[in-house]
Structure formats: structure tokens, C-alpha cells
Amino acid sequence: MPTLPGDRLTLTRPDDWHIHLRDGAMLRAVMPDVAARFARAIVMPNLKPPVVTAADARAYRERILVAVPEGLRFEPLMTLYLTRDTTPEIIREAAREGWVKAVKWYPTGATTNSDFGVADVRPLSAVLEAMQETGLPLLMHGEVVDAEVDIFDREKVFIDRTLSRLVEDFPGLRMVMEHITTREAAQFVREAPANLGATITVHHLLYNRNAMLAGGIRPHYYCLPILKREVHRQALLEAATGGNPKFFLGTDSAPHPTDAKQSDCGCAGSYTAHAAIELYAEAFDSVGRLDRLEAFASFHGPDFYGLPRNTDTLTLMREPRPVPERIEVEAGVTLTPLRAGERVSWRVAS
Ligand code: DOR
Ligand code: ZN
């Protein structure tokens, strides 16, 4: 099929500033999707057991590199999981390894494998100071977990109770509010000093909570922070496509076996790595802002982290392609991608 000029989009190769790659068979299953699109990714440390030291990160990084398909280049940017046992020395040692790029804070109980997290970071101020000194950013799952706070309000309450204080107390610490989902978060990040940035997932740009709950309950749209109302989706689209360098691409692609999602107590997480950049192109195109995709996907992230931008490119073609119902992980285990059995409007040119 001939391609019209508007149907072809060449970008500086993008990076993913928030992804879950898992381990073992799942890691091997997802790596081809990730490496075909992204040059680098910030790899989340919420394995079982979590990645808590430079030695853990080194071993995990090697397993990731082994899973990169031949002929593709991919650079994993590693993170440590902040626990009550994290010390300033652990931070300094990790920072000396050039490939540890950040520390992730999961409030205890906030999401998948967050049991080792800490409820509050204030008792860890010596650790935060070591991060500030060594230049390692603090990545936050920005939700409170109190049972009395409604699940749809957890992000906003986190900003009011915790983030506003942190930003005041640590002006020299780079921080990323991960996967923001609300108008309030977009506004807070926009108005905060330059040391606070935010990632935005593609599922929060494309879907509101109806996708998960209207006309039937759809577990593959269940993720944390949970999908919100349409007004929030619109605010996120505005933030992502507005050209502000504080906002950058982070898919939060979070694969789980199909059985673990479709169960009495299904896990949180949507798998989007199979079509990540294509879906972002759909979202940007929906508001006529494909021209802003490259900055969001390929410039703002490395600029925030102080890393060089990629020098090679990736080309997308506007050409619908089907999404499989299931992806094989290993014998008896599948993964259900977002949009399973439907279509995506773009494809990556080979
Ligand atoms: O939906 C989510 N899944 N949100 C997270 O924060 C964690 C992730 C996972 O690891 O499955
Ligand atoms: Zn995540």
C-alpha cells in the first residue's frame, strides 16, 4: 500500500522511562517487543525478591541483556527498590555503577510487590541526601494506601499529604512522579520547580475508567493508579502533548500471566509493550499533535535524567494491524496484551 507523507512518521528512537520487564520466561517473552521500539528503559525493581543493592541490579541487568534478541540493541537503565534497610552507603555504591539510574519508592501496599516498600520516606532523609549528592533521582509511586481513602482519590491525597512537603524539603533532589493519572497531578508537576518531572502511560492517555467498568468488567484495563474519569484523561493528553519538558514517556507496561489477571483477585497491570509507541502515536494523533510526539518520547526523558538523546531513528507507518488475543510466555502460560483481538492504527516500519 503506498504511504502518504502524513502516514509516515520518523522519530529519534524513543526510550521508555518506566517499564516492568519481570524475569525468567516472562522477561524473554517481552524483551523482543521492548527492544524493537525503545533504545533504553528505566527498569522497575519490584521483582520477588526486589532489587535492593547494586549487586542485585548487576545480576538482573545481565539477565536482561541475555534476553535481548540478536540484532537489536537495548540498554537497561537499572533502579533500586527503596526499603527500610536502604542506607546511604548502598546508594553511593549503586551510583558508582554507571548503569544504576534511579531509586524507586513504593509506599507499602500500594501495588504489585510493594510489601518491601516504606510507608514514609522522611525517616530515610540520610538516604535521600545521598541520592541528592550522587544525582540519583527518586521515582515515586504517588498514591497513599490508607483504607479510608477512596482508590480514585489516592493520587491527589498523596500530593497534598506527601509530595508537596518532599518538594519543599529536597529542592536539590530530582524526583519523578510516575504514571500520573489526574488533572491535579499534571497541574502540581507543571507548577513545581524543575527538579520534579512526571511520566505518563499510554493507557491513561487513551482510556478512562469506562474502558474498565462500563458494559462488563475488563481486568486487562485494571492497573494502578487506576484509570480515572474522562476529565483527567483530557488533562493528561494536554500535559503530554503540550511540549512541556517535565512530562515524558513511561509506559508502565506491566505483564502478568493471563490467569493472574482473570481471577477472583486479579493483579494490577496492563501490558502495552507490544504496541507502545504506536499507541502513543494514536493518542497524539487524536488531538492533532503528532508533531509533539518526538519531544515527549525521545527528548524530555534523557534531558531530565542528564543522558544523551539517541542518535538513531524509528519510523512508524499509519497502517492498521491486528493485536493477537494472547502472547505465548511458556508452556501453559500466556500474556494478554492491551487491545487483544482488536487493532492498532500504526505499525513500526521494519
Ligand atoms: O498496574 C500496575 N502494575 N501498577 C504498578 O504500579 C505496578 C505494576 C506491576 O508491577 O504489575
Ligand atoms: Zn510501574
Side-chain angles (χ1 to χ4, degrees), residues 26 139 145 198 204 216 221 277 293 307 316 328:
M26 189 63 93
L139 315 183
V145 292
H204 291 99
Y221 289 81
I277 191 67
L293 179 61
L307 294 172
L316 297 175
E328 169 92 15

Side-chain angles (χ1 to χ4, degrees), residues 20-22 25-35 255 271 273 335:
H20 299 267
L21 296 178
R22 314 300 193 206
M26 189 63 93
L27 168 64
R28 288 190 291 276
V30 305
M31 216 46 245
D33 285 344
V34 177
Y271 182 67
L335 164 64

Side-chain angles (χ1 to χ4, degrees), residues 252-269:
D252 199 20
S253 176
H256 290 277
T258 300
D259 292 351
K261 298 262 322 155
Q262 298 176 187
S263 91
D264 289 345
C265 183
C267 303

Side-chain angles (χ1 to χ4, degrees), residues 46 81 104-119 140-146 151 154 158 179 222-226 268:
N46 61 335
Y81 191 120
K104 178 72 186 281
W105 172 32
Y106 291 99
T108 323
T111 187
T112 309
N113 298 346
S114 58
D115 305 349
F116 295 89
V118 290
M140 292 170 271
H141 183 109
E143 290 191 288
V144 298
V145 292
D146 312 33
I151 190 165
R154 289 178 173 192
F158 177 84
H179 41 54
Y222 172 63
C223 60
L224 290 171
I226 201 158

Side-chain angles (χ1 to χ4, degrees), residues 1 14 17 21 36 39 67 78 115 175 194 196 213 230 253 269 280 288 290-291 301 319 321 329 336-337 349:
M1 196 169 71
W17 299 94
L21 296 178
M78 307 309 292
D115 305 349
M175 294 179 241
L196 179 69
L213 293 172
E230 177 63 9
S253 176
Y280 277 106
L290 277 174
D291 60 316
E319 197 180 291
R321 86 175 154 86
V329 176
T336 305

Side-chain angles (χ1 to χ4, degrees), residues 243-259:
N244 185 326
K246 288 171 145 252
F247 299 108
F248 39 93
L249 184 157
T251 61
D252 199 20
S253 176
H256 290 277
T258 300
D259 292 351

